[in-house]
Amino acid sequence: MAKPTLQEINEAISTLASAGMLLNSEQTIAINRVRSEIKQQSEEYARAAEAKHQQEQEAQRRAEEARRLSKERKLANSHTDEQNELQEYETIPVDGLWQIFKQPWLHKAFKDRMCQCGMEESILSPQITHMQYKIKKIESNKSYNSLVNNCSTISDLRKLINTFLREWGD
């Protein structure tokens, strides 16, 4: 016959007690020991389950943090690569750069890109309109117009436009 488990002993004790059987002091001590062992085992099991749950949560948190950091690194690397590519393009001569700069399709593409990046269209539209006004101002002035038409790189055009903006005060 197999040795009874603590749970089976506890059930037998409960059955005897509910049947009104009186127990002697040795039996009572044995019963109390069994019950305390059962209680201790269940508490240990609960602590072990809680510890395992906390370990799983910690592992999950670490994995999520690692994924987030990896994503941030990839984004930073792609941003750096994009900046490097843009810096390369800034020094390459472009024929008709000013003609390209003043094209409406470029302004629309710029506006769409800024909206995709989170800028609100209600804020951006007046700025684009103001920029178009400034382009017309440059076109109407012969000296400004000849300066911008002589720019062959994006870097040169950017510097010249920054000079105009400082000169105009806006």
Side-chain angles (χ1 to χ4, degrees):
M1 182 166 172
K3 187 175 179 183
T5 65
L6 294 175
Q7 186 65 35
E8 290 171 336
I9 293 171
N10 192 35
E11 289 173 5
I13 292 168
S14 296
T15 303
L16 288 173
S18 64
M21 308 247 348
L22 297 176
L23 305 173
N24 66 30
S25 62
E26 289 176 7
Q27 291 171 329
T28 304
I29 292 171
I31 289 170
N32 289 339
R33 275 192 199 134
V34 169
R35 285 186 172 163
S36 66
E37 287 177 19
I38 291 172
K39 184 178 179 184
Q40 186 178 15
Q41 282 180 352
S42 65
E43 288 172 356
E44 287 174 6
Y45 176 76
R47 281 193 297 268
E50 179 63 26
K52 183 179 178 183
H53 179 70
Q54 287 176 354
Q55 287 174 345
E56 288 172 353
Q57 284 182 331
E58 183 63 23
Q60 189 176 24
R61 188 192 62 75
R62 284 187 199 140
E64 183 63 35
E65 181 70 14
R67 280 192 294 271
R68 185 185 63 78
L69 288 174
S70 173
K71 191 175 183 179
E72 286 176 1
R73 279 189 209 109
K74 286 178 184 176
L75 183 63
N77 288 341
S78 68
H79 183 68
T80 303
D81 292 343
E82 193 174 284
Q83 284 180 333
N84 290 339
E85 288 175 12
L86 287 174
Q87 287 174 352
E88 288 176 20
Y89 285 117
E90 286 202 12
T91 58
I92 297 173
V94 178
D95 291 334
L97 181 61
W98 177 246
Q99 299 305 318
I100 294 169
F101 183 77
K102 63 183 187 175
Q103 293 297 315
W105 63 265
L106 182 65
H107 303 163
K108 183 179 180 335
F110 174 72
K111 182 179 178 181
D112 292 344
R113 177 65 185 234
M114 294 302 287
C115 289
Q116 288 173 356
C117 291
M119 191 167 200
E120 292 190 29
E121 189 173 349
S122 61
I123 295 171
L124 192 58
S125 291
Q127 292 175 346
I128 296 289
T129 304
H130 185 69
M131 181 180 74
Q132 290 168 339
Y133 165 76
K134 293 298 184 181
I135 289 171
K136 287 179 184 173
K137 185 175 181 178
I138 291 170
E139 287 286 307
S140 65
N141 185 313
K142 288 183 182 183
S143 63
Y144 290 160
N145 196 6
S146 80
L147 287 172
V148 293
N149 280 317
N150 290 333
C151 289
S152 62
T153 65
I154 294 173
S155 178
D156 292 341
L157 184 60
R158 177 180 288 136
K159 289 176 188 173
L160 186 60
I161 290 174
N162 284 337
T163 303
F164 291 158
L165 292 176
R166 278 194 302 276
E167 186 179 310
W168 297 328
D170 53 5

